[in-house]
Amino acid sequence: MASLAARRATDFTVKAISTGFAVLSLVMLAWILWTLLSRGLPALGPHVFTQITAPPGAGGGLLNAIVGSLIQIVIALLIGTPIGLMCGTFLAENGRGTRIAGVVRFVNDVLLSAPSILIGLFVYQLLVVPFGGFSGWAGSIALAILVIPVVVRTTEDMLNLVPIGLREAAFALGAPQWKVVTMVTWRAARAGITTGILLALARAAGETAPLLFTSLGNNGWSIDLSRPMASLPIAIYQYAASPFDDWVALAWAGALIITVGVLTLNILSRLVLAKMK
Amino acid sequence: MDATLGGSSADTALVTSHKPTGKISDPIFVGLLWASGIAVLLILGLIIAMLFEGGLPALREFGISFLWSTSWNPVTEKFGAGVMVFGTLLSAIIAVIVALPLSFGIAFFLTEIAPGPLRRPIGVAIQLLAAVPSIIYGMWGFFVVVPLIAAYVQPPLIEWLGPIPVLGALFQGPPLGAGMLTAGLILALMILPFITAMFVEVLESVPPMLKESAFGVGATTFEVYRNVSVPYGNTAMVGAVMLGLGRALGETMAVTFVIGNATRMSASLFAPGATIASTIANEFPEASMGSLKLQSLLQLGFILFVISFIVLALSRMLVRSKIKG
């Protein structure tokens, strides 16, 4: 065995390196945020929110992309949240300990981690090919498939935290299961379930790949869900890779908007969770 | 009565049979719960079926050699997955090799070194790296990291390591910045928070008594970490790494920006390459509905799904085995 001094020296070195690694990862986060701020802020102005996209050199903003994103995200949440909430409830209440719940949980984990571009390809095959074109609906459904597993996972976790005693008390009063679940269990886990929905919202807002083959993007004003629809991530993708300076600047402005939104949602949901525990 | 205490569905029939209020609404509600559970199964089943069916014509056309054939030529309509499978695996493996030591260090820092009040904020900040959308990593990588690597990292490496026999083949070619290595580095940063978070979770599940005993016989903090905590959680930690690998395999937008998008094979880490996901994202706009190219892209998607599924299933098996036990 090495001498005490040598062991202490190793200990110190490893601690220093570990601390260095932690600092390095924080520096990386700060670097990304700094890049976004320094390039996005100068490009950010009222025109970004009030004008639709325009040909290079003609000014223009991101209004259609922002509106398109909001529409598709809201629909994705409207479709995905109830299914996710019910499925999470199924896992926590009805399926507990059964074989089918194990399978559903596993499949949900697969959906949660499946490459999002494959969800896009899937919805392309499912909706775009049969209906003959890209559409806002297809984009919304692709995002809904991303929303579901996030909501399922958090709902199940949060319902598992609700004490059995609460349910017992409600059942003892003679309440049917739907009342126990909707008025007691869900209510007790309200904050946690909301967190799950916020996280799902954050995930859907930042995803680009699933929209490439579903809602495609649109350079005009687009609120017709049966036609191709603009979205912020797709606009960023198209503009960032373009050779025009003003388009690249707009892409940075969009990137800043998305990142601030997504990080705020994440911090908010973590604050709610921290309060619960 | 005892049965209702569990609060599970089979037992509620006992309650509802006494309560007219739930006679109709309860079966509907429970039916909805079951339907949602089945819906999730259906979605995954449909995804697998649709990707497989969509790519089947390509598999018929090129045979099983599609899997390793390295030609990807839209002009002659000869397609193969070899280059992309290679690129997907290589970039993900680089990512894991880079992220693994960092995650070990950061998890050590978060569980043993960081002072109490700092732990949570630093942990959350590192987790925020996982929340940054993929396309932002792509832009940052493309506009900031790629030029830096092209100017400061690749030229010296090509000069120093390039001439070495065998090993030098990894460091050949012009310093473009974009390429396999850059993609691997960006991916490493993206999967780092996932691996770290799971490491921390595993390390926190180590019974304090085990660690205290080791401290009691005079072990240093690092020795306890290396000889007690890590061995205690090793299977779950391997699972965590697999999960990170799974994420890296399917990452699309970030990779598309920084990998250089060349559908040819090269031994050099600096050469531009392609992954399955980046190829799908890039080439899809030029593939018309029903074309052989589109079918090949769908077949690529199916291959990616199979690879990710295997990695995920393995990861889950390993993680569960420890955290549950």
Side-chain angles (χ1 to χ4, degrees), chain A residues 138 158 252:
Chain A
M158 292 305 136
W252 282 111

Side-chain angles (χ1 to χ4, degrees), chain A residues 98-122:
Chain A
T98 62
R99 197 183 195 106
I100 180 138
V103 176
V104 172
R105 202 174 286 123
F106 173 69
V107 164
N108 191 64
D109 277 2
V110 172
L111 281 179
L112 191 65
S113 315
S116 61
I117 191 166
L118 296 183
I119 309 287
L121 273 189
F122 161 64

Side-chain angles (χ1 to χ4, degrees), chain A:
Chain A
M1 200 165 194
S3 75
L4 184 60
R7 287 170 50 216
R8 282 207 175 131
T10 313
D11 188 52
F12 180 80
T13 316
V14 174
K15 276 180 176 165
I17 293 173
S18 296
T19 310
F21 284 171
V23 171
L24 179 70
S25 61
L26 295 180
V27 167
M28 288 294 172
L29 179 67
W31 189 5
I32 293 171
L33 294 180
W34 168 248
T35 307
L36 282 171
L37 284 172
S38 64
R39 301 200 186 200
L41 271 184
L44 207 59
H47 66 282
V48 172
F49 301 96
T50 55
Q51 294 177 20
I52 68 166
T53 47
L62 295 166
L63 179 65
N64 53 334
I66 294 172
V67 171
S69 262
L70 288 177
I71 293 175
Q72 290 173 71
I73 293 168
V74 167
I75 294 176
L77 283 179
L78 287 178
I79 299 171
T81 311
I83 299 178
L85 185 62
M86 297 298 258
C87 180
T89 310
F90 167 74
L91 291 178
E93 307 284 328
N94 292 49
R96 204 179 273 185
T98 62
R99 197 183 195 106
I100 180 138
V103 176
V104 172
R105 202 174 286 123
F106 173 69
V107 164
N108 191 64
D109 277 2
V110 172
L111 281 179
L112 191 65
S113 315
S116 61
I117 191 166
L118 296 183
I119 309 287
L121 273 189
F122 161 64
V123 175
Y124 173 81
Q125 283 285 89
L126 185 76
L127 294 176
V128 176
V129 174
F131 290 95
F134 302 100
S135 69
W137 283 116
S140 306
I141 288 179
L143 293 183
I145 297 176
L146 295 172
V147 163
I148 292 172
V150 180
V151 177
V152 171
R153 167 68 76 80
T154 38
T155 303
E156 190 197 357
D157 287 352
M158 292 305 136
L159 292 183
N160 282 337
L161 292 178
V162 176
I164 292 284
L166 265 183
R167 298 182 181 103
E168 285 171 9
F171 276 122
L173 290 173
Q177 201 202 349
W178 70 270
K179 268 195 173 167
V180 176
V181 168
T182 52
M183 297 182 177
V184 179
T185 328
W186 280 356
R187 190 163 290 187
R190 199 171 34 194
I193 292 173
T194 315
T195 308
I197 298 170
L198 287 181
L199 286 174
L201 172 64
R203 166 131 199 241
E207 280 287 354
T208 316
L211 297 175
L212 283 173
F213 332 124
T214 52
S215 61
L216 188 68
N218 190 333
N219 284 326
W221 176 247
S222 55
I223 50 170
D224 181 358
L225 278 162
S226 60
R227 301 192 45 239
M229 189 173 245
S231 61
L232 206 39
I234 296 286
I236 295 174
Y237 179 53
Q238 287 169 344
Y239 281 17
S242 80
F244 313 110
D245 287 344
D246 57 334
W247 276 19
V248 174
L250 263 185
W252 282 111
L256 179 63
I257 297 172
I258 279 201
T259 311
V260 167
V262 167
L263 291 189
T264 310
L265 282 171
N266 266 280
I267 294 171
L268 264 182
S269 55
R270 271 164 217 283
L271 286 178
V272 177
L273 272 189
K275 222 184 223 171
M276 282 182 60
K277 281 172 185 168

Side-chain angles (χ1 to χ4, degrees), chain B residues 248-261:
Chain B
L249 288 170
E251 194 47 66
T252 311
M253 300 322 293
V255 173
T256 306
F257 271 97
V258 299
I259 201 163
N261 302 309

Side-chain angles (χ1 to χ4, degrees), chain B residues 282-324:
Chain B
N282 261 311
E283 310 239 343
F284 183 86
E286 290 137 41
S288 50
M289 247 179 229
S291 66
L292 188 58
K293 182 170 183 186
L294 184 70
Q295 288 152 356
S296 303
L297 289 175
L298 287 164
Q299 185 59 33
L300 276 183
F302 181 71
I303 296 171
L304 175 60
F305 186 86
V306 172
I307 300 176
S308 328
F309 185 88
I310 295 170
V311 171
L312 259 167
L314 277 175
S315 133
R316 210 184 116 100
M317 234 168 59
L318 294 168
V319 171
R320 291 268 155 169
S321 67
K322 201 68 194 193
I323 291 184
K324 285 261 153 142

